Amino acid sequence: MEFKFRLLSIGLGHLQPRSPSRNVVTLDIYSFVTSLAPEVVVKSAVLAPLFRITTLTKLDISSNSIQGELPTNGIANFIKLLHLDLRENSFNGSIPTKLFCLQRLQYLDMSSNMLNGILSQEVGALRKLRTKAIVAENRFSGGLSNSLLHLTELQVLDLRNNSPSMQIPTNTRTLSNISTIALSKNQLTGHVVEPVDLSENDLNGNFPEWLAEHNIETIILSDNKLTGSLPTPLFQSLNLSVLALSRNYFSGELSRNIGDTTSVMILMLASNNFLGTIPKTISKIYRLLLLDLLQNKFSGNTFPSFGPDALLAYGDVSSNRLSGEVPVNFALGTRSP
């Protein structure tokens, strides 16, 4: 008989399920230690007995402030494991290579720890990863392994706030199911090749045409070194809701029919080199809530007229070369966030 339970007792040096005669498939110890005994220091060695429970399909030991390295022996015994959640602990050291033997793993979250070292090429062995692969807010270094491209079923890849410093992988179109790639607050270089949040890096090159043609809801590329004009297909996606490209080196004019083809809600293009007149059709974007064109080279003496039914809550066109009257619902002199 299979059953699910929440761990009921923590011993010093061992963890025991209540009924060892049954097949345990789910073990949930989320915030167990911190909620009962926040002053207790739990070392990672206490996890070793768990490796005898080879029937587990889900293991959640998140938010327990567990300290030390992940045990290297025994992890491979979780041959049926589908879901592994280790987030919000104090694990350090590198990821044990035996973790990459968990061929059935579909969900992996190791965020908010102190893990370090290089993301091994063997990460590509976890080909069943589907829902999430999250290692954000750790201390990983080195480049991003091209073996990530083998995770063809992956939907979310989150590597935010580490320090990988080499170029991001190329040919990432093999990640055909991906909806979110978050790599912000790293030291990435090279040409941008995937969405969604790649802000605060050192990416360069033009906005890629193929990315503009994807049906992506959110694109955040602020605070990079991207150049060139924006491709027309970018504003032809009906799914695009957020486009944040502030503080780059983009240039050129915005599409004249921007308001006829997009339904974007947040458009942030501050601190670039865009020029020409601001397209009148921009006022036709019926969902537009925030428009930030601060500190560009827009010129002209006419401005789009937003009607009384417009949803626009904030607009900023200051530090441009505009003349004439600007609508009163536009803030001036405020820097884009």
Side-chain angles (χ1 to χ4, degrees), residues 174-248:
T174 58
L175 303 177
S176 56
N177 292 312
I178 203 78
S179 62
T180 299
I181 295 182
L183 300 175
S184 61
K185 295 187 178 179
N186 284 295
Q187 299 171 10
L188 299 173
T189 61
H191 295 277
V192 58
V193 292
E194 271 292 355
V196 160
D197 185 354
L198 293 169
S199 58
E200 299 185 52
N201 283 290
D202 290 313
L203 299 174
N204 55 66
N206 295 338
F207 197 107
E209 288 276 353
W210 68 265
L211 176 57
E213 295 169 356
H214 277 53
N215 291 321
I216 299 167
E217 293 184 1
T218 301
I219 300 177
I220 303 176
L221 299 173
S222 303
D223 298 287
N224 280 288
K225 298 177 181 178
L226 298 169
T227 58
S229 59
L230 300 182
T232 300
L234 179 61
F235 296 106
Q236 295 176 343
S237 171
L238 297 179
N239 291 328
L240 185 62
S241 294
V242 177
L243 180 63
L245 306 178
S246 299
R247 294 175 295 280
N248 279 282

Side-chain angles (χ1 to χ4, degrees), residues 30 60-63 85-89 109-113:
Y30 165 75
D60 185 345
I61 56 174
S62 59
S63 301
D85 194 338
L86 307 175
R87 61 190 162 91
E88 296 177 2
N89 283 290
D109 191 340
M110 297 185 289
S111 59
S112 299
N113 281 283

